[in-house]
């Protein structure tokens, strides 16, 4: 038989043809699945800015999962917490630690107690080193002195800021700053009015006017602050 009359080989059985056919079938299947998925219908709405109308009835578990979550509450930073703590009212005295007034505080314990009660502090040197006179240190301050500051803030309702503690640079003596019996607080309209409600008890040797609370705390009006002497504390 001539070559041109021979039967052509069966091309469907050729390996290359089978691979091409399989790839074509897979591509058609993937296209049909993509067109049938819900995302293909939702995309035009998202681009046009007009979302589809919500279906009646409760949402399915899948819809609840895909729905955007509600906005989480704003996280409070350390600064906002501190600002809020200074604005809130001072807790009652019964909520304070039941410790003897003679207890000597370290810097961290004193700061915690004052900050928790809404009382702030400052220094010209922005520090707390007891050996530096431009710092404001609470190291070695008596718990009775801390308690008296908290009690004054509670009874007056004023914003109290401590400007002096046990750091060097104050006058000496038994009932002194260095021994933890004294603290200085900033002046201000509210603080000044609250102190002057106490009975006036005379003038100190340096000319400072003295006021004494019912608990025995003595306030001396110095040039730019109130010098507070606490010999026993609010509870004796």
């Amino acid at each position: 038989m001539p070559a041109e009359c021979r039967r052509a080989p069966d091309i469907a059985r050729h390996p290359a043809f089978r691979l091409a056919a399989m790839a074509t079938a897979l591509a058609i299947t993937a296209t049909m699945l993509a067109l049938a998925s819900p995302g293909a219908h939702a995309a035009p709405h998202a681009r046009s800015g007009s979302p589809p109308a919500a279906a009646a009835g409760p949402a399915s578990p899948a819809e609840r999962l895909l729905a955007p979550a509600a906005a989480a509450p704003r996280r409070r930073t350390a600064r906002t917490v501190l600002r809020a703590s200074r604005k809130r009212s001072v807790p009652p005295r019964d909520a304070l630690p039941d410790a003897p007034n003679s207890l000597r505080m370290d810097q961290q314990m004193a700061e915690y107690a004052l900050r928790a009660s809404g009382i702030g502090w400052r220094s010209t040197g922005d520090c707390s080193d007891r050996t530096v006179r431009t710092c404001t240190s609470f190291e070695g301050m008596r718990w009775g002195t801390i308690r008296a500051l908290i009690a004054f803030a509670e009874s007056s309702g004023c914003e109290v800021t401590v400007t002096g503690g046990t750091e060097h640079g104050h006058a000496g003596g038994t009932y002194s700053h260095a021994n933890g019996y004294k603290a200085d607080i900033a002046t201000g309209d509210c603080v000044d009015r609250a102190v002057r409600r106490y009975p006036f008890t005379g003038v100190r040797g340096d000319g400072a006017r003295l006021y004494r609370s019912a608990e025995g705390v003595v306030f001396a009006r110095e040039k730019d602050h109130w010098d507070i002497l606490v010999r026993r504390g609010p509870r004796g």
Side-chain angles (χ1 to χ4, degrees):
M1 181 181 292
E4 60 271 17
C5 295
R6 293 177 183 173
R7 185 178 179 183
D10 190 358
I11 192 171
R13 296 182 180 179
H14 196 279
F17 177 84
R18 290 181 178 180
L19 288 175
M22 185 178 298
T24 302
L26 289 175
I28 293 173
T29 302
T31 302
M32 293 177 65
L33 289 175
L35 292 175
S37 65
H41 299 287
H45 294 287
R47 287 193 297 269
S48 64
S50 56
S60 65
E63 290 173 340
R64 290 196 299 269
L65 181 63
L66 296 175
R74 187 177 179 182
R75 188 174 182 180
R76 302 177 71 191
T77 64
R79 180 172 295 181
T80 59
V81 170
L82 177 58
R83 188 180 300 116
S85 69
R86 290 185 176 179
K87 288 183 178 180
R88 67 172 180 263
S89 59
V90 178
R93 300 180 197 178
D94 292 340
L96 300 176
D98 187 13
N101 290 325
S102 59
L103 176 67
R104 302 286 176 169
M105 309 290 286
D106 61 25
Q107 185 70 27
Q108 185 177 5
M109 289 173 61
E111 286 185 0
Y112 177 84
L114 292 173
R115 183 180 292 115
S117 301
I119 298 176
W121 56 90
R122 67 168 183 256
S123 66
T124 55
D126 193 23
C127 52
S128 60
D129 189 339
R130 186 175 185 178
T131 64
V132 180
R133 60 188 304 148
T134 57
C135 297
T136 296
S137 176
F138 305 127
E139 192 71 34
M141 184 173 285
R142 298 171 74 253
W143 173 236
T145 305
I146 297 290
R147 193 197 298 271
L149 292 172
I150 296 173
F152 174 73
E154 178 189 21
S155 62
S156 66
C158 299
E159 181 177 344
V160 176
T161 302
V162 182
T163 61
T166 58
E167 67 279 352
H168 288 184
H170 299 282
T174 301
Y175 300 107
S176 61
H177 282 270
N179 288 337
Y181 287 90
K182 282 190 170 187
D184 294 337
I185 64 173
T187 60
D189 292 340
C190 182
V191 170
D192 294 348
R193 285 194 303 269
V195 173
R196 287 171 179 147
R197 292 192 186 104
Y198 300 139
F200 172 69
T201 59
V203 179
R204 202 168 62 182
D206 59 356
R209 293 175 65 85
L210 303 176
Y211 300 84
R212 184 184 182 91
S213 72
E215 293 81 9
V217 180
V218 178
F219 295 77
R221 182 60 162 89
E222 297 191 4
K223 181 179 179 180
D224 58 355
H225 64 271
W226 286 98
D227 177 81
I228 303 175
L229 170 61
V230 187
R231 292 195 180 192
R232 294 180 302 171
R235 293 186 176 179

